PDB file of all heavy atoms in Angstrom:
ATOM      1  N   SER A 138     -11.169 -17.913  13.627  1.00  0.00           N
ATOM      2  CA  SER A 138     -10.309 -19.080  13.870  1.00  0.00           C
ATOM      3  C   SER A 138      -9.027 -19.018  13.051  1.00  0.00           C
ATOM      4  O   SER A 138      -8.134 -19.843  13.193  1.00  0.00           O
ATOM      5  CB  SER A 138     -11.055 -20.397  13.608  1.00  0.00           C
ATOM      6  OG  SER A 138     -11.595 -20.413  12.311  1.00  0.00           O
ATOM      7  N   TYR A 375     -12.902 -27.164   7.608  1.00  0.00           N
ATOM      8  CA  TYR A 375     -12.600 -25.915   8.308  1.00  0.00           C
ATOM      9  C   TYR A 375     -11.606 -25.075   7.498  1.00  0.00           C
ATOM     10  O   TYR A 375     -10.867 -25.639   6.677  1.00  0.00           O
ATOM     11  CB  TYR A 375     -11.982 -26.222   9.680  1.00  0.00           C
ATOM     12  CG  TYR A 375     -13.021 -26.501  10.745  1.00  0.00           C
ATOM     13  CD1 TYR A 375     -13.262 -27.793  11.192  1.00  0.00           C
ATOM     14  CD2 TYR A 375     -13.751 -25.451  11.281  1.00  0.00           C
ATOM     15  CE1 TYR A 375     -14.220 -28.034  12.166  1.00  0.00           C
ATOM     16  CE2 TYR A 375     -14.724 -25.687  12.244  1.00  0.00           C
ATOM     17  CZ  TYR A 375     -14.941 -26.978  12.686  1.00  0.00           C
ATOM     18  OH  TYR A 375     -15.888 -27.184  13.639  1.00  0.00           O
ATOM     19  N   ASN A 377      -8.808 -24.004   8.058  1.00  0.00           N
ATOM     20  CA  ASN A 377      -7.405 -24.397   8.118  1.00  0.00           C
ATOM     21  C   ASN A 377      -7.150 -25.713   7.361  1.00  0.00           C
ATOM     22  O   ASN A 377      -6.041 -26.245   7.373  1.00  0.00           O
ATOM     23  CB  ASN A 377      -6.942 -24.540   9.575  1.00  0.00           C
ATOM     24  CG  ASN A 377      -7.586 -25.731  10.271  1.00  0.00           C
ATOM     25  OD1 ASN A 377      -8.509 -26.345   9.753  1.00  0.00           O
ATOM     26  ND2 ASN A 377      -7.089 -26.071  11.435  1.00  0.00           N
ATOM     27  N   THR A 379      -8.841 -28.667   7.828  1.00  0.00           N
ATOM     28  CA  THR A 379      -9.297 -29.923   8.516  1.00  0.00           C
ATOM     29  C   THR A 379     -10.637 -30.350   7.943  1.00  0.00           C
ATOM     30  O   THR A 379     -11.622 -29.604   8.035  1.00  0.00           O
ATOM     31  CB  THR A 379      -9.443 -29.694  10.047  1.00  0.00           C
ATOM     32  OG1 THR A 379      -8.237 -29.170  10.541  1.00  0.00           O
ATOM     33  CG2 THR A 379      -9.799 -30.965  10.768  1.00  0.00           C
ATOM     34  N   ALA A 381     -13.837 -32.081   8.361  1.00  0.00           N
ATOM     35  CA  ALA A 381     -14.530 -32.486   9.581  1.00  0.00           C
ATOM     36  C   ALA A 381     -15.767 -33.304   9.329  1.00  0.00           C
ATOM     37  O   ALA A 381     -16.163 -34.139  10.149  1.00  0.00           O
ATOM     38  CB  ALA A 381     -14.864 -31.260  10.421  1.00  0.00           C
ATOM     39  N   GLY A 399     -20.823 -40.010  19.660  1.00  0.00           N
ATOM     40  CA  GLY A 399     -19.592 -40.406  18.975  1.00  0.00           C
ATOM     41  C   GLY A 399     -18.384 -40.072  19.845  1.00  0.00           C
ATOM     42  O   GLY A 399     -18.522 -39.388  20.851  1.00  0.00           O
ATOM     43  N   LEU A 400     -17.269 -40.600  19.410  1.00  0.00           N
ATOM     44  CA  LEU A 400     -16.067 -40.355  20.206  1.00  0.00           C
ATOM     45  C   LEU A 400     -15.601 -38.929  19.983  1.00  0.00           C
ATOM     46  O   LEU A 400     -16.100 -38.216  19.077  1.00  0.00           O
ATOM     47  CB  LEU A 400     -14.955 -41.342  19.787  1.00  0.00           C
ATOM     48  CG  LEU A 400     -15.350 -42.811  19.922  1.00  0.00           C
ATOM     49  CD1 LEU A 400     -14.198 -43.699  19.502  1.00  0.00           C
ATOM     50  CD2 LEU A 400     -15.798 -43.134  21.333  1.00  0.00           C
ATOM     51  N   SER A 401     -14.638 -38.498  20.771  1.00  0.00           N
ATOM     52  CA  SER A 401     -14.107 -37.142  20.681  1.00  0.00           C
ATOM     53  C   SER A 401     -13.576 -36.881  19.258  1.00  0.00           C
ATOM     54  O   SER A 401     -12.906 -37.744  18.693  1.00  0.00           O
ATOM     55  CB  SER A 401     -12.951 -37.008  21.672  1.00  0.00           C
ATOM     56  OG  SER A 401     -13.267 -36.055  22.600  1.00  0.00           O
ATOM     57  N   GLY A 402     -13.881 -35.709  18.735  1.00  0.00           N
ATOM     58  CA  GLY A 402     -13.368 -35.324  17.403  1.00  0.00           C
ATOM     59  C   GLY A 402     -14.139 -35.945  16.262  1.00  0.00           C
ATOM     60  O   GLY A 402     -13.737 -35.831  15.086  1.00  0.00           O
ATOM     61  N   ALA A 403     -15.298 -36.547  16.543  1.00  0.00           N
ATOM     62  CA  ALA A 403     -16.074 -37.213  15.474  1.00  0.00           C
ATOM     63  C   ALA A 403     -16.783 -36.192  14.571  1.00  0.00           C
ATOM     64  O   ALA A 403     -17.136 -36.517  13.433  1.00  0.00           O
ATOM     65  CB  ALA A 403     -17.112 -38.139  16.105  1.00  0.00           C
ATOM     66  N   GLY A 404     -16.985 -34.993  15.083  1.00  0.00           N
ATOM     67  CA  GLY A 404     -17.613 -33.944  14.243  1.00  0.00           C
ATOM     68  C   GLY A 404     -18.978 -33.523  14.745  1.00  0.00           C
ATOM     69  O   GLY A 404     -19.711 -32.825  14.019  1.00  0.00           O
ATOM     70  N   LYS A 405     -19.291 -33.871  15.974  1.00  0.00           N
ATOM     71  CA  LYS A 405     -20.655 -33.557  16.498  1.00  0.00           C
ATOM     72  C   LYS A 405     -20.849 -32.048  16.643  1.00  0.00           C
ATOM     73  O   LYS A 405     -21.859 -31.504  16.145  1.00  0.00           O
ATOM     74  CB  LYS A 405     -20.833 -34.251  17.870  1.00  0.00           C
ATOM     75  CG  LYS A 405     -20.548 -35.750  17.837  1.00  0.00           C
ATOM     76  CD  LYS A 405     -20.701 -36.401  19.156  1.00  0.00           C
ATOM     77  CE  LYS A 405     -19.694 -35.971  20.220  1.00  0.00           C
ATOM     78  NZ  LYS A 405     -18.319 -36.395  19.971  1.00  0.00           N
ATOM     79  N   SER A 406     -19.880 -31.383  17.286  1.00  0.00           N
ATOM     80  CA  SER A 406     -20.012 -29.919  17.464  1.00  0.00           C
ATOM     81  C   SER A 406     -19.990 -29.213  16.105  1.00  0.00           C
ATOM     82  O   SER A 406     -20.704 -28.208  15.911  1.00  0.00           O
ATOM     83  CB  SER A 406     -18.898 -29.359  18.331  1.00  0.00           C
ATOM     84  OG  SER A 406     -18.842 -30.039  19.547  1.00  0.00           O
ATOM     85  N   THR A 407     -19.192 -29.746  15.199  1.00  0.00           N
ATOM     86  CA  THR A 407     -19.120 -29.152  13.859  1.00  0.00           C
ATOM     87  C   THR A 407     -20.474 -29.174  13.204  1.00  0.00           C
ATOM     88  O   THR A 407     -20.921 -28.208  12.582  1.00  0.00           O
ATOM     89  CB  THR A 407     -18.079 -29.919  13.005  1.00  0.00           C
ATOM     90  OG1 THR A 407     -16.853 -29.940  13.716  1.00  0.00           O
ATOM     91  CG2 THR A 407     -17.893 -29.290  11.643  1.00  0.00           C
ATOM     92  N   LEU A 408     -21.183 -30.302  13.356  1.00  0.00           N
ATOM     93  CA  LEU A 408     -22.493 -30.437  12.738  1.00  0.00           C
ATOM     94  C   LEU A 408     -23.435 -29.372  13.311  1.00  0.00           C
ATOM     95  O   LEU A 408     -24.188 -28.707  12.552  1.00  0.00           O
ATOM     96  CB  LEU A 408     -23.022 -31.863  13.043  1.00  0.00           C
ATOM     97  CG  LEU A 408     -24.323 -32.271  12.308  1.00  0.00           C
ATOM     98  CD1 LEU A 408     -24.170 -32.097  10.802  1.00  0.00           C
ATOM     99  CD2 LEU A 408     -24.664 -33.704  12.628  1.00  0.00           C
ATOM    100  N   TYR A 416     -21.051 -21.846  10.082  1.00  0.00           N
ATOM    101  CA  TYR A 416     -20.278 -22.212   8.891  1.00  0.00           C
ATOM    102  C   TYR A 416     -21.271 -22.728   7.830  1.00  0.00           C
ATOM    103  O   TYR A 416     -22.328 -23.231   8.190  1.00  0.00           O
ATOM    104  CB  TYR A 416     -19.277 -23.321   9.205  1.00  0.00           C
ATOM    105  CG  TYR A 416     -18.179 -22.919  10.153  1.00  0.00           C
ATOM    106  CD1 TYR A 416     -18.274 -23.250  11.494  1.00  0.00           C
ATOM    107  CD2 TYR A 416     -17.034 -22.232   9.746  1.00  0.00           C
ATOM    108  CE1 TYR A 416     -17.270 -22.914  12.414  1.00  0.00           C
ATOM    109  CE2 TYR A 416     -16.030 -21.890  10.618  1.00  0.00           C
ATOM    110  CZ  TYR A 416     -16.158 -22.218  11.951  1.00  0.00           C
ATOM    111  OH  TYR A 416     -15.161 -21.870  12.823  1.00  0.00           O
ATOM    112  N   GLN A 447     -20.738 -26.775  26.281  1.00  0.00           N
ATOM    113  CA  GLN A 447     -19.998 -27.409  27.330  1.00  0.00           C
ATOM    114  C   GLN A 447     -19.412 -26.386  28.287  1.00  0.00           C
ATOM    115  O   GLN A 447     -19.479 -26.508  29.483  1.00  0.00           O
ATOM    116  CB  GLN A 447     -18.857 -28.213  26.679  1.00  0.00           C
ATOM    117  CG  GLN A 447     -18.174 -29.175  27.567  1.00  0.00           C
ATOM    118  CD  GLN A 447     -17.216 -30.018  26.756  1.00  0.00           C
ATOM    119  OE1 GLN A 447     -17.190 -29.949  25.509  1.00  0.00           O
ATOM    120  NE2 GLN A 447     -16.392 -30.800  27.402  1.00  0.00           N
ATOM    121  N   GLU A 524     -23.241 -31.016  25.224  1.00  0.00           N
ATOM    122  CA  GLU A 524     -22.793 -31.474  26.554  1.00  0.00           C
ATOM    123  C   GLU A 524     -23.112 -30.442  27.624  1.00  0.00           C
ATOM    124  O   GLU A 524     -22.218 -29.918  28.288  1.00  0.00           O
ATOM    125  CB  GLU A 524     -21.293 -31.785  26.517  1.00  0.00           C
ATOM    126  CG  GLU A 524     -21.003 -32.867  25.511  1.00  0.00           C
ATOM    127  CD  GLU A 524     -19.579 -33.370  25.652  1.00  0.00           C
ATOM    128  OE1 GLU A 524     -19.153 -33.562  26.798  1.00  0.00           O
ATOM    129  OE2 GLU A 524     -18.940 -33.549  24.588  1.00  0.00           O
ATOM    130  N   ILE A 553     -25.876 -33.208  22.221  1.00  0.00           N
ATOM    131  CA  ILE A 553     -24.641 -33.977  22.179  1.00  0.00           C
ATOM    132  C   ILE A 553     -24.353 -34.270  23.646  1.00  0.00           C
ATOM    133  O   ILE A 553     -24.342 -33.368  24.476  1.00  0.00           O
ATOM    134  CB  ILE A 553     -23.470 -33.140  21.644  1.00  0.00           C
ATOM    135  CG1 ILE A 553     -23.709 -32.732  20.204  1.00  0.00           C
ATOM    136  CG2 ILE A 553     -22.153 -33.927  21.761  1.00  0.00           C
ATOM    137  CD1 ILE A 553     -22.623 -31.795  19.656  1.00  0.00           C
ATOM    138  N   HIS A 555     -22.078 -37.124  26.359  1.00  0.00           N
ATOM    139  CA  HIS A 555     -21.387 -38.377  26.663  1.00  0.00           C
ATOM    140  C   HIS A 555     -22.114 -39.089  27.792  1.00  0.00           C
ATOM    141  O   HIS A 555     -21.767 -40.199  28.154  1.00  0.00           O
ATOM    142  CB  HIS A 555     -19.912 -38.109  27.043  1.00  0.00           C
ATOM    143  CG  HIS A 555     -19.122 -37.605  25.868  1.00  0.00           C
ATOM    144  ND1 HIS A 555     -18.938 -38.322  24.726  1.00  0.00           N
ATOM    145  CD2 HIS A 555     -18.454 -36.428  25.696  1.00  0.00           C
ATOM    146  CE1 HIS A 555     -18.191 -37.592  23.875  1.00  0.00           C
ATOM    147  NE2 HIS A 555     -17.898 -36.459  24.434  1.00  0.00           N
TER     148      HIS A 555
HETATM  149  N1  LIG B  15     -12.336 -24.122  14.582  1.00  0.00           N
HETATM  150  C1  LIG B  15     -11.798 -25.232  14.090  1.00  0.00           C
HETATM  151  N2  LIG B  15     -10.827 -25.107  13.143  1.00  0.00           N
HETATM  152  C2  LIG B  15     -10.248 -26.201  12.629  1.00  0.00           C
HETATM  153  N3  LIG B  15     -10.550 -27.468  12.948  1.00  0.00           N
HETATM  154  C3  LIG B  15     -11.501 -27.668  13.884  1.00  0.00           C
HETATM  155  C4  LIG B  15     -12.155 -26.534  14.503  1.00  0.00           C
HETATM  156  N4  LIG B  15     -13.045 -27.060  15.411  1.00  0.00           N
HETATM  157  C5  LIG B  15     -12.954 -28.398  15.348  1.00  0.00           C
HETATM  158  N5  LIG B  15     -12.026 -28.766  14.433  1.00  0.00           N
HETATM  159  C6  LIG B  15     -11.644 -30.140  14.022  1.00  0.00           C
HETATM  160  O1  LIG B  15     -12.789 -30.771  13.465  1.00  0.00           O
HETATM  161  C7  LIG B  15     -12.883 -32.110  13.883  1.00  0.00           C
HETATM  162  C8  LIG B  15     -14.276 -32.356  14.565  1.00  0.00           C
HETATM  163  O2  LIG B  15     -14.288 -31.593  15.761  1.00  0.00           O
HETATM  164  P1  LIG B  15     -15.604 -31.442  16.638  1.00  0.00           P
HETATM  165  O3  LIG B  15     -15.332 -30.417  17.684  1.00  0.00           O
HETATM  166  O4  LIG B  15     -16.771 -31.212  15.735  1.00  0.00           O
HETATM  167  O5  LIG B  15     -15.721 -32.890  17.301  1.00  0.00           O
HETATM  168  P2  LIG B  15     -16.705 -33.382  18.455  1.00  0.00           P
HETATM  169  O6  LIG B  15     -17.245 -34.701  17.964  1.00  0.00           O
HETATM  170  O7  LIG B  15     -17.653 -32.348  18.822  1.00  0.00           O
HETATM  171  O8  LIG B  15     -15.642 -33.667  19.632  1.00  0.00           O
HETATM  172  P3  LIG B  15     -15.829 -33.545  21.218  1.00  0.00           P
HETATM  173  O9  LIG B  15     -16.757 -34.615  21.653  1.00  0.00           O
HETATM  174  O10 LIG B  15     -14.472 -33.769  21.730  1.00  0.00           O
HETATM  175  O11 LIG B  15     -16.349 -32.148  21.490  1.00  0.00           O
HETATM  176  C9  LIG B  15     -11.718 -32.361  14.796  1.00  0.00           C
HETATM  177  O12 LIG B  15     -10.711 -32.987  14.028  1.00  0.00           O
HETATM  178  C10 LIG B  15     -11.279 -30.999  15.230  1.00  0.00           C
HETATM  179  O13 LIG B  15      -9.893 -30.963  15.446  1.00  0.00           O
END
Side-chain angles (χ1 to χ4, degrees):
S138 56
Y375 276 105
N377 70 349
T379 306
L400 303 180
S401 243
K405 307 178 295 290
S406 304
T407 306
L408 189 55
Y416 294 98
Q447 193 172 351
E524 299 190 43
I553 297 175
H555 292 300

